[in-house]
Amino acid sequence: MARFKYAGRDRKGKRQGTVNAASKREAMEKLKEEGIRVIEMTQVPETLMTKDLTLGTPVKLQDFVIYLRQFSTLIKAGVTVVDATAILALQTESKALKKALLDVEQEMREGNPLSEAVAKHKKIFNQMFINLVKAGEISGNLDETLDRLAEHFEKQHYTRQKIVSALSYPIAVGIIAIIVVIFLLVAVVPTFVSMFDDMGGELPAITKFVLSASGFMQSFWWLVILIIFAFVFITTYLKKSNQTKYYFDYFLLRMPIFGNLLQKAALARMMRTLSSLFSSSVPILQAMSIVEKVVENEVLARVIRKSRDSLEKGRSMTEPMQSHWAFPPLVTQMIAIGEETGALDAMLSKIAEFYEKEVENGTDRLKSLIEPLMIVFLAGLVGTIVTSIMVPMFSMFDQFQQMNQ
């Protein structure tokens, strides 16, 4: 919700104040219902205390796909772009998307085209969406463009979900393992400390280590939490810089097991985006600039930048890709064939489909492999702590038996 400052008149005379609304139009309608005739209205700038804080993308990809499908259906049914936007603003469950659509509707009612209206909300609508909508407006095929966009984002959403599903299990098990270990060290292990002190004698090395870890955790548990929060904050902050993001993405792509899967997903997203732009008649240099911004991987973005420079010099776009480890020969060879035959969009689509299938198969294999490994990992952690407690107890039991004999 935005805040608007207004000055106006009603039956009692001059009125001024502020009103909260999703858009300027909605604010004026609210005041009109209260009998206030608005003379002047301005939006109050957002501050850290007043703005809506969002983590990650403001609009879920699933909500955006639903919006595109419904938008295309309404346009095909003969509903005007303005009215369709107004209808979808009321129907969407995403607050961020609703607010943006209400502003877009107001912009279009003032005579601005859809592409210019959505360009003012770049956190919601990326460069690819803006340029394809502009191309659809020029060609008069906006409904087909929206269908193409919906298909593009659907496949991107599906690929992303496969990656998330592959990573969610080890992350969940890792979190559970941390919680269990902390619980054992803080609540269980300390109950045996006095018993071990009464025993006397030399404790096994594993028991000493666990007791030391337990003592540290009891005294400095707040430090562990602080380190976790600091790590998340620093990682998020550093990713805002292209240079540090490059090293972060490089590490992810080179990571054992998961790196290959993330590389294929990034290539599929890149090729799918390029194919969609080319098939919508977006100029190749402009398409490369857009992909560089939306690829979400700085390693690939740098190669795309070099490929664009190569095209500007009249050379092939595949030259920088051929010398880079992130682009397998299959990619460069099929792109080169597409350039020679004039069917680059079709070739890019085939590459995207190939890697999307590879990601699907890879995540299925990874999940079947990683489940037993994570179970063994969790059992090893808990088993180590339990063993450190049981070994001295067995020793105590043996001593007790010897004394009775």
Side-chain angles (χ1 to χ4, degrees), residues 144-169:
E144 294 179 7
T145 300
L146 292 170
D147 267 339
R148 191 178 295 117
L149 278 166
E151 182 180 354
H152 168 86
F153 284 109
E154 274 178 350
K155 290 183 177 179
Q156 182 179 329
H157 175 64
Y158 180 76
T159 304
R160 184 173 294 178
Q161 287 298 107
K162 296 297 289 186
I163 294 292
V164 170
S165 66
L167 297 177
S168 59
Y169 184 82

PDB file of all heavy atoms in Angstrom, residues 144-169:
ATOM      1  N   GLU A 144      -0.693 -13.380 -28.734  1.00  0.00           N
ATOM      2  CA  GLU A 144       0.291 -14.430 -29.011  1.00  0.00           C
ATOM      3  C   GLU A 144       1.569 -14.209 -28.199  1.00  0.00           C
ATOM      4  O   GLU A 144       2.180 -15.166 -27.712  1.00  0.00           O
ATOM      5  CB  GLU A 144       0.622 -14.460 -30.508  1.00  0.00           C
ATOM      6  CG  GLU A 144      -0.550 -14.884 -31.387  1.00  0.00           C
ATOM      7  CD  GLU A 144      -0.185 -14.888 -32.855  1.00  0.00           C
ATOM      8  OE1 GLU A 144       1.020 -14.695 -33.165  1.00  0.00           O
ATOM      9  OE2 GLU A 144      -1.084 -15.071 -33.691  1.00  0.00           O
ATOM     10  N   THR A 145       1.959 -12.947 -28.066  1.00  0.00           N
ATOM     11  CA  THR A 145       3.140 -12.618 -27.268  1.00  0.00           C
ATOM     12  C   THR A 145       2.950 -13.019 -25.816  1.00  0.00           C
ATOM     13  O   THR A 145       3.852 -13.580 -25.184  1.00  0.00           O
ATOM     14  CB  THR A 145       3.434 -11.105 -27.349  1.00  0.00           C
ATOM     15  OG1 THR A 145       3.669 -10.746 -28.715  1.00  0.00           O
ATOM     16  CG2 THR A 145       4.656 -10.737 -26.524  1.00  0.00           C
ATOM     17  N   LEU A 146       1.761 -12.757 -25.274  1.00  0.00           N
ATOM     18  CA  LEU A 146       1.474 -13.123 -23.891  1.00  0.00           C
ATOM     19  C   LEU A 146       1.466 -14.634 -23.710  1.00  0.00           C
ATOM     20  O   LEU A 146       1.921 -15.146 -22.681  1.00  0.00           O
ATOM     21  CB  LEU A 146       0.132 -12.522 -23.460  1.00  0.00           C
ATOM     22  CG  LEU A 146       0.104 -11.001 -23.335  1.00  0.00           C
ATOM     23  CD1 LEU A 146      -1.331 -10.508 -23.152  1.00  0.00           C
ATOM     24  CD2 LEU A 146       0.973 -10.530 -22.177  1.00  0.00           C
ATOM     25  N   ASP A 147       0.952 -15.355 -24.709  1.00  0.00           N
ATOM     26  CA  ASP A 147       0.992 -16.824 -24.667  1.00  0.00           C
ATOM     27  C   ASP A 147       2.433 -17.325 -24.639  1.00  0.00           C
ATOM     28  O   ASP A 147       2.780 -18.252 -23.891  1.00  0.00           O
ATOM     29  CB  ASP A 147       0.265 -17.404 -25.882  1.00  0.00           C
ATOM     30  CG  ASP A 147      -1.193 -17.707 -25.587  1.00  0.00           C
ATOM     31  OD1 ASP A 147      -1.539 -17.843 -24.409  1.00  0.00           O
ATOM     32  OD2 ASP A 147      -1.990 -17.782 -26.541  1.00  0.00           O
ATOM     33  N   ARG A 148       3.267 -16.692 -25.486  1.00  0.00           N
ATOM     34  CA  ARG A 148       4.673 -17.093 -25.550  1.00  0.00           C
ATOM     35  C   ARG A 148       5.374 -16.794 -24.226  1.00  0.00           C
ATOM     36  O   ARG A 148       6.188 -17.588 -23.747  1.00  0.00           O
ATOM     37  CB  ARG A 148       5.355 -16.355 -26.705  1.00  0.00           C
ATOM     38  CG  ARG A 148       6.752 -16.884 -27.035  1.00  0.00           C
ATOM     39  CD  ARG A 148       7.368 -16.158 -28.216  1.00  0.00           C
ATOM     40  NE  ARG A 148       6.609 -16.409 -29.433  1.00  0.00           N
ATOM     41  CZ  ARG A 148       5.979 -15.472 -30.134  1.00  0.00           C
ATOM     42  NH1 ARG A 148       5.998 -14.220 -29.740  1.00  0.00           N
ATOM     43  NH2 ARG A 148       5.324 -15.782 -31.247  1.00  0.00           N
ATOM     44  N   LEU A 149       5.054 -15.656 -23.637  1.00  0.00           N
ATOM     45  CA  LEU A 149       5.639 -15.302 -22.347  1.00  0.00           C
ATOM     46  C   LEU A 149       5.193 -16.277 -21.249  1.00  0.00           C
ATOM     47  O   LEU A 149       5.992 -16.691 -20.408  1.00  0.00           O
ATOM     48  CB  LEU A 149       5.231 -13.878 -21.959  1.00  0.00           C
ATOM     49  CG  LEU A 149       6.046 -12.740 -22.590  1.00  0.00           C
ATOM     50  CD1 LEU A 149       5.333 -11.411 -22.404  1.00  0.00           C
ATOM     51  CD2 LEU A 149       7.443 -12.679 -21.992  1.00  0.00           C
ATOM     52  N   ALA A 150       3.905 -16.629 -21.274  1.00  0.00           N
ATOM     53  CA  ALA A 150       3.384 -17.572 -20.275  1.00  0.00           C
ATOM     54  C   ALA A 150       4.077 -18.922 -20.391  1.00  0.00           C
ATOM     55  O   ALA A 150       4.462 -19.530 -19.371  1.00  0.00           O
ATOM     56  CB  ALA A 150       1.875 -17.731 -20.443  1.00  0.00           C
ATOM     57  N   GLU A 151       4.269 -19.387 -21.623  1.00  0.00           N
ATOM     58  CA  GLU A 151       4.951 -20.671 -21.834  1.00  0.00           C
ATOM     59  C   GLU A 151       6.398 -20.595 -21.358  1.00  0.00           C
ATOM     60  O   GLU A 151       6.911 -21.523 -20.720  1.00  0.00           O
ATOM     61  CB  GLU A 151       4.908 -21.036 -23.317  1.00  0.00           C
ATOM     62  CG  GLU A 151       5.542 -22.385 -23.629  1.00  0.00           C
ATOM     63  CD  GLU A 151       5.494 -22.726 -25.106  1.00  0.00           C
ATOM     64  OE1 GLU A 151       4.865 -21.968 -25.883  1.00  0.00           O
ATOM     65  OE2 GLU A 151       6.085 -23.749 -25.482  1.00  0.00           O
ATOM     66  N   HIS A 152       7.041 -19.450 -21.657  1.00  0.00           N
ATOM     67  CA  HIS A 152       8.435 -19.266 -21.233  1.00  0.00           C
ATOM     68  C   HIS A 152       8.561 -19.322 -19.721  1.00  0.00           C
ATOM     69  O   HIS A 152       9.398 -20.058 -19.173  1.00  0.00           O
ATOM     70  CB  HIS A 152       8.941 -17.912 -21.753  1.00  0.00           C
ATOM     71  CG  HIS A 152      10.250 -17.494 -21.146  1.00  0.00           C
ATOM     72  ND1 HIS A 152      11.461 -17.898 -21.650  1.00  0.00           N
ATOM     73  CD2 HIS A 152      10.529 -16.719 -20.061  1.00  0.00           C
ATOM     74  CE1 HIS A 152      12.430 -17.398 -20.909  1.00  0.00           C
ATOM     75  NE2 HIS A 152      11.895 -16.671 -19.942  1.00  0.00           N
ATOM     76  N   PHE A 153       7.719 -18.571 -19.013  1.00  0.00           N
ATOM     77  CA  PHE A 153       7.811 -18.515 -17.554  1.00  0.00           C
ATOM     78  C   PHE A 153       7.333 -19.809 -16.901  1.00  0.00           C
ATOM     79  O   PHE A 153       7.792 -20.163 -15.815  1.00  0.00           O
ATOM     80  CB  PHE A 153       7.029 -17.319 -17.017  1.00  0.00           C
ATOM     81  CG  PHE A 153       7.734 -16.000 -17.216  1.00  0.00           C
ATOM     82  CD1 PHE A 153       7.276 -15.076 -18.131  1.00  0.00           C
ATOM     83  CD2 PHE A 153       8.875 -15.702 -16.501  1.00  0.00           C
ATOM     84  CE1 PHE A 153       7.926 -13.863 -18.323  1.00  0.00           C
ATOM     85  CE2 PHE A 153       9.542 -14.498 -16.673  1.00  0.00           C
ATOM     86  CZ  PHE A 153       9.067 -13.578 -17.594  1.00  0.00           C
ATOM     87  N   GLU A 154       6.416 -20.518 -17.552  1.00  0.00           N
ATOM     88  CA  GLU A 154       5.980 -21.824 -17.037  1.00  0.00           C
ATOM     89  C   GLU A 154       7.147 -22.810 -17.033  1.00  0.00           C
ATOM     90  O   GLU A 154       7.373 -23.517 -16.040  1.00  0.00           O
ATOM     91  CB  GLU A 154       4.839 -22.373 -17.895  1.00  0.00           C
ATOM     92  CG  GLU A 154       3.454 -21.874 -17.470  1.00  0.00           C
ATOM     93  CD  GLU A 154       2.362 -22.412 -18.370  1.00  0.00           C
ATOM     94  OE1 GLU A 154       2.679 -23.007 -19.416  1.00  0.00           O
ATOM     95  OE2 GLU A 154       1.180 -22.251 -18.021  1.00  0.00           O
ATOM     96  N   LYS A 155       7.881 -22.848 -18.145  1.00  0.00           N
ATOM     97  CA  LYS A 155       9.015 -23.772 -18.236  1.00  0.00           C
ATOM     98  C   LYS A 155      10.130 -23.351 -17.280  1.00  0.00           C
ATOM     99  O   LYS A 155      10.801 -24.210 -16.690  1.00  0.00           O
ATOM    100  CB  LYS A 155       9.514 -23.834 -19.675  1.00  0.00           C
ATOM    101  CG  LYS A 155       8.523 -24.536 -20.604  1.00  0.00           C
ATOM    102  CD  LYS A 155       9.032 -24.677 -22.015  1.00  0.00           C
ATOM    103  CE  LYS A 155       8.026 -25.461 -22.857  1.00  0.00           C
ATOM    104  NZ  LYS A 155       8.453 -25.624 -24.245  1.00  0.00           N
ATOM    105  N   GLN A 156      10.320 -22.055 -17.134  1.00  0.00           N
ATOM    106  CA  GLN A 156      11.317 -21.562 -16.191  1.00  0.00           C
ATOM    107  C   GLN A 156      10.922 -21.936 -14.759  1.00  0.00           C
ATOM    108  O   GLN A 156      11.763 -22.352 -13.958  1.00  0.00           O
ATOM    109  CB  GLN A 156      11.438 -20.041 -16.321  1.00  0.00           C
ATOM    110  CG  GLN A 156      12.481 -19.430 -15.403  1.00  0.00           C
ATOM    111  CD  GLN A 156      12.591 -17.928 -15.581  1.00  0.00           C
ATOM    112  OE1 GLN A 156      12.384 -17.394 -16.653  1.00  0.00           O
ATOM    113  NE2 GLN A 156      12.899 -17.232 -14.494  1.00  0.00           N
ATOM    114  N   HIS A 157       9.627 -21.813 -14.461  1.00  0.00           N
ATOM    115  CA  HIS A 157       9.121 -22.165 -13.135  1.00  0.00           C
ATOM    116  C   HIS A 157       9.291 -23.661 -12.873  1.00  0.00           C
ATOM    117  O   HIS A 157       9.706 -24.065 -11.776  1.00  0.00           O
ATOM    118  CB  HIS A 157       7.648 -21.785 -13.039  1.00  0.00           C
ATOM    119  CG  HIS A 157       6.986 -22.200 -11.760  1.00  0.00           C
ATOM    120  ND1 HIS A 157       7.361 -21.698 -10.523  1.00  0.00           N
ATOM    121  CD2 HIS A 157       5.995 -23.097 -11.501  1.00  0.00           C
ATOM    122  CE1 HIS A 157       6.614 -22.246  -9.582  1.00  0.00           C
ATOM    123  NE2 HIS A 157       5.791 -23.100 -10.139  1.00  0.00           N
ATOM    124  N   TYR A 158       9.003 -24.471 -13.884  1.00  0.00           N
ATOM    125  CA  TYR A 158       9.108 -25.932 -13.737  1.00  0.00           C
ATOM    126  C   TYR A 158      10.564 -26.335 -13.481  1.00  0.00           C
ATOM    127  O   TYR A 158      10.851 -27.147 -12.583  1.00  0.00           O
ATOM    128  CB  TYR A 158       8.586 -26.617 -14.996  1.00  0.00           C
ATOM    129  CG  TYR A 158       8.661 -28.127 -14.937  1.00  0.00           C
ATOM    130  CD1 TYR A 158       7.752 -28.864 -14.187  1.00  0.00           C
ATOM    131  CD2 TYR A 158       9.656 -28.816 -15.639  1.00  0.00           C
ATOM    132  CE1 TYR A 158       7.828 -30.252 -14.126  1.00  0.00           C
ATOM    133  CE2 TYR A 158       9.735 -30.201 -15.590  1.00  0.00           C
ATOM    134  CZ  TYR A 158       8.818 -30.909 -14.836  1.00  0.00           C
ATOM    135  OH  TYR A 158       8.900 -32.281 -14.778  1.00  0.00           O
ATOM    136  N   THR A 159      11.489 -25.754 -14.252  1.00  0.00           N
ATOM    137  CA  THR A 159      12.908 -26.067 -14.072  1.00  0.00           C
ATOM    138  C   THR A 159      13.396 -25.636 -12.700  1.00  0.00           C
ATOM    139  O   THR A 159      14.138 -26.360 -12.021  1.00  0.00           O
ATOM    140  CB  THR A 159      13.749 -25.373 -15.164  1.00  0.00           C
ATOM    141  OG1 THR A 159      13.274 -25.760 -16.455  1.00  0.00           O
ATOM    142  CG2 THR A 159      15.216 -25.748 -15.045  1.00  0.00           C
ATOM    143  N   ARG A 160      12.966 -24.449 -12.284  1.00  0.00           N
ATOM    144  CA  ARG A 160      13.369 -23.948 -10.971  1.00  0.00           C
ATOM    145  C   ARG A 160      12.831 -24.839  -9.846  1.00  0.00           C
ATOM    146  O   ARG A 160      13.523 -25.096  -8.864  1.00  0.00           O
ATOM    147  CB  ARG A 160      12.884 -22.503 -10.796  1.00  0.00           C
ATOM    148  CG  ARG A 160      13.327 -21.851  -9.502  1.00  0.00           C
ATOM    149  CD  ARG A 160      12.972 -20.383  -9.477  1.00  0.00           C
ATOM    150  NE  ARG A 160      13.706 -19.638 -10.478  1.00  0.00           N
ATOM    151  CZ  ARG A 160      13.550 -18.334 -10.687  1.00  0.00           C
ATOM    152  NH1 ARG A 160      12.672 -17.659  -9.978  1.00  0.00           N
ATOM    153  NH2 ARG A 160      14.267 -17.720 -11.606  1.00  0.00           N
ATOM    154  N   GLN A 161      11.596 -25.303 -10.004  1.00  0.00           N
ATOM    155  CA  GLN A 161      11.007 -26.175  -8.988  1.00  0.00           C
ATOM    156  C   GLN A 161      11.750 -27.493  -8.877  1.00  0.00           C
ATOM    157  O   GLN A 161      11.889 -28.046  -7.782  1.00  0.00           O
ATOM    158  CB  GLN A 161       9.522 -26.434  -9.309  1.00  0.00           C
ATOM    159  CG  GLN A 161       8.610 -25.243  -9.052  1.00  0.00           C
ATOM    160  CD  GLN A 161       8.609 -24.841  -7.596  1.00  0.00           C
ATOM    161  OE1 GLN A 161       9.175 -23.818  -7.213  1.00  0.00           O
ATOM    162  NE2 GLN A 161       7.978 -25.629  -6.755  1.00  0.00           N
ATOM    163  N   LYS A 162      12.235 -28.004  -9.998  1.00  0.00           N
ATOM    164  CA  LYS A 162      13.011 -29.248  -9.971  1.00  0.00           C
ATOM    165  C   LYS A 162      14.318 -29.050  -9.198  1.00  0.00           C
ATOM    166  O   LYS A 162      14.724 -29.923  -8.411  1.00  0.00           O
ATOM    167  CB  LYS A 162      13.320 -29.718 -11.399  1.00  0.00           C
ATOM    168  CG  LYS A 162      12.097 -30.097 -12.226  1.00  0.00           C
ATOM    169  CD  LYS A 162      11.348 -31.278 -11.657  1.00  0.00           C
ATOM    170  CE  LYS A 162      12.093 -32.571 -11.827  1.00  0.00           C
ATOM    171  NZ  LYS A 162      11.304 -33.745 -11.392  1.00  0.00           N
ATOM    172  N   ILE A 163      14.953 -27.896  -9.406  1.00  0.00           N
ATOM    173  CA  ILE A 163      16.189 -27.602  -8.676  1.00  0.00           C
ATOM    174  C   ILE A 163      15.905 -27.462  -7.182  1.00  0.00           C
ATOM    175  O   ILE A 163      16.629 -27.996  -6.333  1.00  0.00           O
ATOM    176  CB  ILE A 163      16.837 -26.310  -9.217  1.00  0.00           C
ATOM    177  CG1 ILE A 163      17.302 -26.500 -10.669  1.00  0.00           C
ATOM    178  CG2 ILE A 163      18.001 -25.886  -8.342  1.00  0.00           C
ATOM    179  CD1 ILE A 163      18.448 -27.444 -10.844  1.00  0.00           C
ATOM    180  N   VAL A 164      14.829 -26.741  -6.868  1.00  0.00           N
ATOM    181  CA  VAL A 164      14.455 -26.530  -5.463  1.00  0.00           C
ATOM    182  C   VAL A 164      14.155 -27.863  -4.783  1.00  0.00           C
ATOM    183  O   VAL A 164      14.562 -28.109  -3.641  1.00  0.00           O
ATOM    184  CB  VAL A 164      13.241 -25.588  -5.356  1.00  0.00           C
ATOM    185  CG1 VAL A 164      12.687 -25.558  -3.930  1.00  0.00           C
ATOM    186  CG2 VAL A 164      13.633 -24.180  -5.786  1.00  0.00           C
ATOM    187  N   SER A 165      13.437 -28.733  -5.498  1.00  0.00           N
ATOM    188  CA  SER A 165      13.090 -30.038  -4.917  1.00  0.00           C
ATOM    189  C   SER A 165      14.332 -30.886  -4.658  1.00  0.00           C
ATOM    190  O   SER A 165      14.384 -31.656  -3.693  1.00  0.00           O
ATOM    191  CB  SER A 165      12.127 -30.790  -5.840  1.00  0.00           C
ATOM    192  OG  SER A 165      12.754 -31.141  -7.056  1.00  0.00           O
ATOM    193  N   ALA A 166      15.353 -30.728  -5.533  1.00  0.00           N
ATOM    194  CA  ALA A 166      16.588 -31.495  -5.344  1.00  0.00           C
ATOM    195  C   ALA A 166      17.403 -30.960  -4.169  1.00  0.00           C
ATOM    196  O   ALA A 166      18.054 -31.725  -3.451  1.00  0.00           O
ATOM    197  CB  ALA A 166      17.426 -31.452  -6.618  1.00  0.00           C
ATOM    198  N   LEU A 167      17.367 -29.643  -3.964  1.00  0.00           N
ATOM    199  CA  LEU A 167      18.162 -29.034  -2.907  1.00  0.00           C
ATOM    200  C   LEU A 167      17.449 -29.011  -1.563  1.00  0.00           C
ATOM    201  O   LEU A 167      18.096 -28.928  -0.513  1.00  0.00           O
ATOM    202  CB  LEU A 167      18.543 -27.601  -3.299  1.00  0.00           C
ATOM    203  CG  LEU A 167      19.436 -27.434  -4.532  1.00  0.00           C
ATOM    204  CD1 LEU A 167      19.654 -25.959  -4.817  1.00  0.00           C
ATOM    205  CD2 LEU A 167      20.764 -28.131  -4.350  1.00  0.00           C
ATOM    206  N   SER A 168      16.108 -29.048  -1.582  1.00  0.00           N
ATOM    207  CA  SER A 168      15.348 -28.888  -0.338  1.00  0.00           C
ATOM    208  C   SER A 168      15.596 -30.036   0.644  1.00  0.00           C
ATOM    209  O   SER A 168      15.660 -29.805   1.864  1.00  0.00           O
ATOM    210  CB  SER A 168      13.847 -28.779  -0.637  1.00  0.00           C
ATOM    211  OG  SER A 168      13.383 -29.931  -1.324  1.00  0.00           O
ATOM    212  N   TYR A 169      15.742 -31.263   0.131  1.00  0.00           N
ATOM    213  CA  TYR A 169      15.929 -32.410   1.033  1.00  0.00           C
ATOM    214  C   TYR A 169      17.241 -32.319   1.812  1.00  0.00           C
ATOM    215  O   TYR A 169      17.224 -32.408   3.054  1.00  0.00           O
ATOM    216  CB  TYR A 169      15.855 -33.723   0.254  1.00  0.00           C
ATOM    217  CG  TYR A 169      15.943 -34.940   1.143  1.00  0.00           C
ATOM    218  CD1 TYR A 169      14.815 -35.415   1.815  1.00  0.00           C
ATOM    219  CD2 TYR A 169      17.142 -35.611   1.327  1.00  0.00           C
ATOM    220  CE1 TYR A 169      14.891 -36.522   2.647  1.00  0.00           C
ATOM    221  CE2 TYR A 169      17.229 -36.718   2.150  1.00  0.00           C
ATOM    222  CZ  TYR A 169      16.095 -37.169   2.808  1.00  0.00           C
ATOM    223  OH  TYR A 169      16.182 -38.263   3.632  1.00  0.00           O
TER     224      TYR A 169
END
